[in-house]
Amino acid sequence: MKFPKNFIWGAAAAAYQIEGAYNEDGKGLNIWDIYSKDPGRIAHGENGDIACDHYHRFKEDIKLMKEIGIKHYRLSLNWTRIIPDGTGEVNQKGVDFYNQLLDTLIENEIEPMVTLFHWDYPYELHCKGGWLSREASDWFENYAKTCTELFSDKVKYWMTINEPQVFVGLGYYSGLHAPFYKLCKTDLMRMTHNILLSHGKAVRAIRKYAKQPPIIGFAPTGPCVTPENETKDSIEIARQQSFEFSENGYVFSNSWWGDPIVFGKYNDKAFELFGDSLKPLIKDGDMEIISAPIDFYGANIYSSSSVGITNGYPSNEYIGCPRTAVEWVVTDDALYWATKFLNERYKLPILITENGMACHDWVHLDGKVHDPNRIDYTARYLKGLKRATSENIDVMGYLYWSILDNFEWNSGYDKRFGLIYVDYQTQKRTIKDSGYWFGNVIKNNGENI
Ligand code: BG6
């Protein structure tokens, strides 16, 4: 079993979770800047105002990436650093920051892979209706065009949107993420359609304005169901369940988003369940825009559930089994089944845009951060991925989440996913054992997995 020769190895992070400098150098505010300060929303009353101070320390961070041996780095652009109000004037200082960041990556032979939107929505646009407004897709298209014009001489890999499932599901449905809303189904549906349109228009803009042939995808997540055993029947059930959705959980599903984007039509079940509210939203030409061809299908995968556990994430059936610090069950073969099912359905190369583990890390008495659980978790998941590539499932690469410990949204700073430990009191960085281990995996193209 082996990984292909040109396999992409790297790590990921997102602007709001690491940059800090939330109001410096002309940056506008986004919904996380505003709503994370609403009392009781975020663990310990924390927020991303400073985070890892990556805005001021990116050179040091890139040096550490280089030391580890990272070859690809997935970062996100902070929309309001570039366009403070979301539309209108561009902030030159924000552009300068990203130019320096991208240049430093390239100088260090690290290929940047850029996500346009990783949840930090401009507050000004939110106040104009945000994703609920059909205009949202024009705002996003303009943002995508601006970024492409500004950075596509340096950037080849683009992702439009990170996890629509989670930012809609947690931000606008269950009220756990900014802006902490609980919208009704009709509004949610309008929102998802506008987000799909935004994605499509962004793909169109990147394709049109890129200064070098772009490689475009998006970075969704979704339920990953694995078979109980490898019989044909069990595999078939797992495959079906991986793309199913219910009246309540549809925003969290794979196919609500993936089908329109790849097939140019909503899943039949969508019309069965919500035909009356969905049909009027779809205007002439929308589905063509939404399904503007993409080059890869991203997948953020942390855990799976086994056939028979239909309520999404693992629960009682997994009593006493290994769990990460965010309670997710450790399920070794998740990457194998997820890449297999996604690739079979959507017939696009799959890029693991995120996978990783939150642990209870700290600096040990010897000054190092020993995190054997993370190493073991990652090795287990990579074994599954190696099986996939050995069976010729088209997988482009693997990006570990995350390069640095960071602000884990409503969990605050407690949950550490990084290959690099961050002491938030001093901003001192320490490469964890897993960082050195992962560097070795990269060096050997996963041979030791
Ligand atoms: C993904 C997100 O959901 O998983 C990341 O794209 C996030 O931004 C990561 O940090 C870890 O998840 P969580 O739910 O612990 O924040």
Side-chain angles (χ1 to χ4, degrees):
M1 294 211 295
K2 51 173 140 156
F3 289 101
K5 263 207 187 116
N6 53 353
F7 199 69
I8 289 173
W9 291 103
Y16 185 74
Q17 295 179 271
I18 63 169
E19 281 180 6
Y22 82 104
N23 62 354
E24 278 182 52
D25 293 339
K27 179 183 161 295
L29 297 180
N30 62 54
I31 55 170
W32 279 91
D33 295 323
I34 300 281
Y35 294 108
S36 60
K37 288 158 196 160
D38 202 19
R41 299 295 193 183
I42 311 289
H44 323 116
E46 290 160 353
N47 59 55
D49 284 3
I50 300 173
C52 308
D53 196 28
H54 179 71
Y55 186 75
H56 298 112
R57 295 168 196 261
F58 69 92
K59 288 197 175 139
E60 181 193 348
D61 291 336
I62 292 171
K63 223 169 135 198
L64 293 170
M65 287 181 207
K66 171 103 176 164
E67 190 180 333
I68 291 177
I70 297 293
K71 301 280 186 244
H72 292 78
Y73 172 50
R74 174 179 173 229
L75 64 129
S76 79
L77 302 176
N78 190 326
W79 189 337
T80 58
R81 212 180 275 297
I82 298 169
I83 309 175
D85 290 338
T87 55
E89 248 165 71
V90 168
N91 174 33
Q92 191 53 44
K93 287 197 169 158
V95 174
D96 293 346
F97 166 68
Y98 286 115
N99 270 324
Q100 284 179 46
L101 175 64
L102 293 167
D103 285 340
T104 314
L105 286 165
I106 293 164
E107 275 157 35
N108 284 281
E109 294 170 332
I110 300 171
E111 170 105 48
M113 306 175 91
V114 165
T115 309
L116 289 173
F117 178 67
H118 200 125
W119 307 355
D120 37 12
Y121 198 72
Y123 181 62
E124 285 303 320
L125 297 183
H126 172 73
C127 294
K128 289 185 186 158
W131 298 112
L132 274 176
S133 160
R134 212 180 134 90
E135 258 188 287
S137 61
D138 299 326
W139 301 330
F140 195 64
E141 183 174 26
N142 171 63
Y143 168 57
K145 174 176 184 270
T146 306
C147 295
T148 309
E149 286 173 339
L150 288 167
F151 307 121
S152 63
D153 52 338
K154 305 178 170 99
V155 177
K156 193 162 66 187
Y157 291 92
W158 296 89
M159 282 144 283
T160 55
I161 283 175
N162 182 69
E163 294 188 356
Q165 289 87 350
V166 176
F167 84 82
V168 176
L170 300 192
Y172 299 89
Y173 171 65
S174 60
L176 292 172
H177 277 191
F180 305 102
Y181 282 5
K182 290 185 180 178
L183 296 181
C184 73
K185 268 178 229 157
T186 322
D187 281 355
L188 276 178
M189 207 166 304
R190 173 181 290 270
M191 180 171 276
T192 62
H193 187 69
N194 290 337
I195 293 167
L196 285 164
L197 260 183
S198 306
H199 157 86
K201 288 189 183 178
V203 173
R204 190 168 74 175
I206 299 167
R207 200 75 78 196
K208 182 161 175 202
Y209 297 102
K211 296 178 185 151
Q212 58 177 318
I215 301 174
I216 313 173
F218 75 128
T221 185
C224 161
V225 184
T226 56
E228 247 166 336
N229 53 55
E230 297 207 8
T231 59
K232 227 174 142 200
D233 287 353
S234 188
I235 294 173
E236 189 44 39
I237 298 172
R239 180 183 287 113
Q240 275 175 26
Q241 287 189 358
S242 291
F243 296 98
E244 264 171 11
F245 55 80
S246 64
E247 193 173 347
N248 290 322
Y250 71 94
V251 299
F252 293 104
S253 73
N254 288 302
S255 58
W256 181 270
W257 306 92
D259 285 12
I261 286 177
V262 182
F263 303 146
K265 68 188 219 18
Y266 281 96
N267 194 294
D268 291 344
K269 181 83 179 279
F271 290 107
E272 233 172 75
L273 290 172
F274 315 108
D276 290 349
S277 355
L278 182 57
K279 275 189 201 140
L281 296 175
I282 308 172
K283 310 282 180 228
D284 276 356
D286 279 7
M287 299 316 294
E288 272 120 284
I289 296 172
I290 291 172
S291 57
I294 53 175
D295 305 297
F296 67 89
Y297 200 96
N300 291 0
I301 296 162
Y302 292 86
S303 196
S304 59
S305 57
S306 179
V307 158
I309 304 165
T310 43
N311 61 345
Y313 275 88
S315 54
N316 282 344
E317 288 78 357
Y318 288 85
I319 288 172
C321 69
R323 283 176 195 269
T324 72
V326 288
E327 297 287 309
W328 296 337
V329 173
V330 179
T331 49
D332 302 17
D333 52 0
L335 295 186
Y336 171 71
W337 293 106
T339 52
K340 179 176 166 66
F341 292 155
L342 287 168
N343 180 245
E344 279 171 359
R345 186 179 183 92
Y346 294 126
K347 314 251 181 301
L348 283 166
I350 308 297
L351 175 66
I352 301 298
T353 34
E354 286 180 24
N355 167 252
M357 177 180 185
C359 296
H360 297 290
D361 302 317
W362 63 82
V363 181
H364 289 214
L365 285 172
D366 62 2
K368 297 179 178 163
V369 180
H370 303 297
D371 55 345
N373 288 356
R374 180 173 289 107
I375 294 175
D376 191 64
Y377 168 101
T378 312
R380 285 169 185 273
Y381 277 61
L382 284 176
K383 268 188 201 302
L385 195 63
K386 197 175 194 179
R387 177 177 171 200
T389 57
S390 307
E391 291 179 18
N392 294 321
I393 296 167
D394 193 357
V395 184
M396 284 162 64
Y398 173 91
L399 304 172
Y400 180 84
W401 180 272
S402 172
I403 187 66
L404 296 169
D405 289 340
N406 60 45
F407 177 76
E408 279 304 326
W409 308 112
N410 57 330
S411 312
Y413 290 97
D414 248 11
K415 312 296 180 195
R416 294 176 177 271
F417 277 87
L419 295 173
I420 300 171
Y421 183 90
V422 179
D423 177 334
Y424 295 106
Q425 306 302 320
T426 60
Q427 291 295 347
K428 182 176 186 298
R429 274 70 164 144
T430 308
I431 298 179
K432 300 179 190 176
D433 287 357
S434 59
Y436 294 110
W437 173 85
F438 188 56
N440 210 29
V441 171
I442 297 175
K443 203 161 138 205
N444 300 313
N445 197 32
E447 246 170 55
N448 43 346
I449 291 296

